[in-house]
């Protein structure tokens, strides 16, 4: 099985420092800071990257689930809203909300929702994030 790799470097104090990250393929790289992570400053952060990974994983797994159910998939558009909050115990990801709009045919609404719920529970990123509440709004668009 393949092992995927990414690296990150942080320089300086938490409030004044900056970080950078890069995937081994070089396809994704960027910088981040305390302001982009814990405030609303423009730029990326680890939670945004978790969201991208989760949305991508869900979309691929949903395509597979629908294919197994006999549906024909045209496209799947998924967003992941990742919430990070400061709790008494420190900063924590407290929820992920997936919104998926699926253009597919050959499946009814009940079968679609069953596939969506199974995908929410079973995609590898969802499994890795089991300690985080994950909600889903999945719609079949004809």
């Amino acid at each position: 099985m393949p092992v995927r790799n990414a690296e990150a470097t942080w320089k300086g104090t938490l409030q004044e420092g900056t970080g950078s990250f890069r995937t081994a393929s070089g396809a994704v790289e960027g910088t981040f800071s305390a302001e982009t992570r814990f405030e609303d400053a423009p730029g990326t952060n680890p939670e945004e990257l978790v969201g991208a990974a989760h949305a991508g994983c869900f979309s691929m797994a949903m395509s597979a689930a629908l294919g197994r159910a006999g549906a024909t998939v045209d496209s799947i558009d998924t967003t992941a809203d990742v919430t990070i909050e400061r709790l008494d115990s420190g900063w924590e990801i407290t929820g992920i909300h997936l919104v998926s709009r699926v253009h597919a045919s050959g499946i009814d609404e009940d079968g679609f929702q069953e596939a969506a719920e199974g995908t929410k529970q079973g995609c590898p990123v969802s499994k890795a994030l089991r300690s985080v509440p994950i909600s889903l709004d999945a719609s079949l668009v004809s």
Side-chain angles (χ1 to χ4, degrees):
M1 290 310 279
V3 174
R4 304 299 181 208
N5 180 274
E7 60 185 44
T9 300
W10 185 264
K11 295 181 180 179
T13 66
L14 176 62
Q15 290 303 318
E16 296 172 3
T18 59
S20 62
F21 64 90
R22 182 178 192 279
T23 60
S25 68
V28 179
E29 60 182 70
T31 60
F32 59 100
S33 67
E35 290 84 14
T36 64
R37 187 168 192 199
F38 304 120
E39 299 173 20
D40 288 328
T44 194
N45 53 69
E47 289 72 30
E48 185 177 70
L49 300 172
V50 167
H54 203 179
C57 184
F58 179 89
S59 293
M60 290 179 75
M62 185 66 173
S63 178
L66 292 171
R68 286 190 301 274
T72 301
V73 177
D74 181 41
S75 65
I76 300 174
D77 298 304
T78 305
T79 60
D81 295 328
V82 179
T83 302
I84 183 170
E85 296 181 273
R86 186 176 193 151
L87 305 177
D88 291 339
S89 59
W91 288 96
E92 186 174 320
I93 294 175
T94 57
I96 299 174
H97 181 64
L98 299 171
V99 176
S100 190
R101 300 296 174 250
V102 179
H103 294 266
S105 58
I107 192 167
D108 65 14
E109 185 64 27
D110 289 341
F112 172 79
Q113 290 300 328
E114 183 178 323
E117 185 60 31
T119 300
K120 180 186 92 167
Q121 300 296 325
C123 91
V125 173
S126 288
K127 288 179 180 180
L129 299 171
R130 280 193 177 141
S131 65
V132 178
I134 299 170
S135 59
L136 172 64
D137 173 6
S139 297
L140 182 60
V141 181
S142 49

